[in-house]
Amino acid sequence: MKTDSKIIISIDKQFYSENDEIRIHVWFNHEFYTYATLTILSPAGITIDSAGLKTDTKTTETFAFTCGGPFMFENGCYTIRVQCENVISENMFEYYNSKNRLKPKL
């Protein structure tokens, strides 16, 4: 996990299931001159969602989405990445969908 104190990412818990809402809070501890990009990556590195964020140091940006759907089919650790200019900060959460359990081979 990459952490740069210029961009702080927090989430309400570390484990999510199908249909759970995840709320991502981003605080900028540095004055940037461009918008930031928030990206959620699957365990395989595939982009699940992406959004532009304002980089105002006086407010916290909040991004929310519901876990699951056609792009979030893998169980495992997902990466939340916020990048602005040459600064990158990341946080991770684990997603588990019981429908995706591997069935034992007989």
Side-chain angles (χ1 to χ4, degrees):
M1 177 169 56
K2 298 177 187 177
T3 303
D4 190 308
S5 62
K6 295 176 183 177
I7 302 172
I8 310 298
I9 303 169
S10 68
I11 52 179
D12 53 341
K13 56 186 183 176
Q14 294 297 313
F15 302 96
Y16 295 89
S17 298
E18 180 78 10
N19 297 321
D20 283 352
E21 183 179 77
I22 180 170
R23 294 177 89 47
I24 303 163
H25 307 284
V26 181
W27 181 64
F28 296 94
N29 192 24
H30 178 79
E31 289 289 334
F32 291 101
Y33 300 104
T34 62
Y35 283 89
T37 303
L38 181 146
T39 307
I40 299 170
L41 301 166
S42 74
I46 298 168
T47 298
I48 302 302
D49 207 344
S50 186
L53 301 174
K54 295 178 187 175
T55 56
D56 186 355
T57 59
K58 296 180 179 101
T59 61
T60 299
E61 288 287 320
T62 299
F63 180 78
F65 76 99
T66 302
C67 291
F71 299 111
M72 200 169 179
F73 55 86
E74 293 178 83
N75 290 334
C77 290
Y78 284 72
T79 301
I80 302 164
R81 177 180 293 152
V82 176
Q83 182 171 355
C84 191
E85 298 170 7
N86 63 346
V87 178
I88 297 173
S89 194
E90 295 179 344
N91 200 341
M92 297 178 84
F93 66 92
E94 190 170 333
Y95 170 72
Y96 178 74
N97 181 342
S98 61
K99 295 178 214 171
N100 295 340
R101 271 195 316 227
L102 293 175
K103 295 185 174 138
K105 295 181 182 181
L106 300 175

